[in-house]
Amino acid sequence: MKILLAAAVAALMFAPTLSAHAAATVGEAAPAFTLTDSKGTSHNLSDFKGKTVVLEWTNAECPFVRKHYDSKNMQTLQEEATGQGVVWLVINSGAEGKQGHVTGAQAEEVITREGMKATAYLLDGDGTVGHAYGASTTPHMFVINGEGTLVYAGAIDDNKSADPATIAGAKNYVRAALADLAAGKPVETASSQPYMAVA
């Protein structure tokens, strides 16, 4: 019960700005955005035209995020992807004063502590980009192809347990989507229900 409550709090940090709006649509152009990262550098999605981009919504206090970081599953996937030329953007949409919110300096501490292998950690404190994508929980994952089309949206895998022991037998949707793109094939599983999604 404690884990579920923590997850619900993590999910609801997005709710005030997202509940009445549609999410980005798989098969359509990914919503454009510009965000500043933990180092103060500005990134526009269009900067990465021609490359596959993964967006990972995060909240280091979320038990489901902890599942994938404490097990090193997320860092391993980040390293695999970026090693193949994929751009991996971690996004934090936690509002100031809410659970999971971080400043740039705090994000840098998280990057070091977790051993993240992402391209950049972006700050979305007013929830504008989370709103545009319909990011409703953490981790909530999106994959954008080189043409700027959203080709996957949903959970990282098919096991919504917070138990790290379940990772080994789970189907990792993000890894599968990246493999399909690398092979020049349509993404077989283009969407899934994110963990603890807010209705």
Side-chain angles (χ1 to χ4, degrees):
M1 179 61 75
K2 186 176 181 180
I3 288 175
L4 291 176
L5 286 173
V9 169
L12 287 171
M13 71 181 185
F14 298 103
T17 57
L18 299 180
S19 58
H21 301 277
T25 302
V26 171
E28 297 185 359
F33 64 82
T34 301
L35 287 175
T36 301
D37 71 14
S38 55
K39 301 180 187 299
T41 301
S42 179
H43 297 271
N44 189 303
L45 181 61
S46 64
D47 297 341
F48 307 113
K49 185 177 181 180
K51 296 185 177 181
T52 299
V53 177
V54 174
L55 306 181
E56 172 204 337
W57 259 267
T58 194
N59 170 358
E61 299 178 44
C62 169
F64 298 107
V65 170
R66 295 265 38 94
K67 167 188 173 182
H68 290 286
Y69 275 97
D70 290 345
S71 65
K72 305 299 182 187
N73 185 54
M74 191 69 81
Q75 299 94 319
T76 298
L77 188 56
Q78 292 169 348
E79 189 167 28
E80 286 177 12
T82 56
Q84 296 169 6
V86 172
V87 174
W88 189 294
L89 303 175
V90 175
I91 301 178
N92 186 318
S93 293
E96 187 172 359
K98 301 290 186 181
Q99 185 211 41
H101 171 78
V102 292
T103 64
Q106 291 168 332
E108 285 291 293
E109 293 174 2
V110 172
I111 292 168
T112 300
R113 184 181 69 235
E114 307 288 7
M116 285 184 170
K117 306 298 182 183
T119 305
Y121 189 121
L122 307 182
L123 305 176
D124 179 42
D126 65 4
T128 299
V129 180
H131 169 96
Y133 279 80
S136 57
T137 187
T138 56
H140 199 162
M141 311 296 295
F142 298 83
V143 179
I144 302 166
N145 69 14
E147 289 73 47
T149 301
L150 184 66
V151 295
Y152 176 76
I156 185 172
D157 63 25
D158 66 353
N159 193 314
K160 298 178 181 179
S161 167
D163 182 358
T166 63
I167 291 173
K171 177 179 180 179
N172 191 302
Y173 294 128
V174 175
R175 180 177 281 120
L178 295 177
D180 286 343
L181 289 176
K185 302 188 300 184
V187 173
E188 181 178 356
T189 302
S191 65
S192 66
Q193 187 73 18
Y195 291 5
M196 294 292 294
V198 176

